[in-house]
Amino acid sequence: MPVERTDAEWREVLSPEEYHVLREAGTERPWTGELLEEHRVGTYKCRACGNVLFQSETKFDSHCGWPSFYAPERSDAVIARPDDSLGMRRTEVLCANCGSHLGHVFPDAPQTPTGDRYCMNSISLTFDEN
Ligand SMILES: [Zn+2]
């Protein structure tokens, strides 16, 4: 992992809400994220480390309450790993650069080119307009 920080260091650089989602795999409440309705052309990055994660052209309206993308910027920009918490079989998505929690990916978007829905927490991302 290129970026490694201790928990104390993460608490210094992240707000309590950011720390909870990014470092404790929390989930922001649906329909609350500031990037949910972001429709400008630009780049989405990891809020913890700045790693480029998604481009705006892969963002789509999934009606699930969280920003959704059908593919990451590069396949190695994120790490997917099994998550059996909450009694569900899901696939967690982590930043490949710093290991922070971003959200989950679900194969339930047949309307997209990949069929995947990367369901991301707004608070895990930053947006830069191109
Ligand atoms: Zn990161």
Side-chain angles (χ1 to χ4, degrees):
M1 202 67 60
V3 174
E4 304 250 17
R5 294 180 191 267
T6 65
D7 276 348
E9 289 168 340
W10 281 123
R11 285 184 189 280
E12 271 181 35
V13 298
L14 299 173
S15 72
E17 294 78 16
E18 291 166 354
Y19 182 90
H20 175 62
V21 174
L22 286 157
R23 305 307 307 176
E24 299 179 319
T27 299
E28 70 191 8
R29 284 182 298 123
W31 309 109
T32 63
E34 63 181 23
L35 297 175
L36 182 60
E37 299 296 335
E38 178 59 70
H39 295 299
R40 289 175 292 171
V41 174
T43 302
Y44 293 84
K45 297 177 180 175
C46 174
R47 186 168 300 208
C49 77
N51 186 30
V52 173
L53 300 172
F54 298 98
Q55 296 294 340
S56 55
E57 55 262 34
T58 65
K59 192 172 191 281
F60 68 102
D61 196 352
S62 65
H63 308 286
C64 72
W66 292 276
S68 299
F69 305 83
Y70 63 73
E73 157 82 6
R74 303 180 319 275
S75 60
D76 62 356
V78 298
I79 295 169
R81 74 175 181 197
D83 172 12
D84 290 329
S85 66
L86 305 179
M88 290 181 278
R89 164 54 58 100
R90 296 182 294 172
T91 302
E92 182 183 14
V93 178
L94 306 165
C95 173
N97 194 49
C98 73
S100 289
H101 174 81
L102 304 172
H104 290 85
V105 60
F106 302 92
D108 64 0
Q111 72 274 35
T112 73
T114 63
D116 289 332
R117 173 172 60 97
Y118 284 79
C119 182
M120 302 287 100
N121 290 284
S122 273
I123 204 168
S124 295
L125 306 174
T126 58
F127 175 75
D128 287 341
E129 192 172 8
N130 283 357

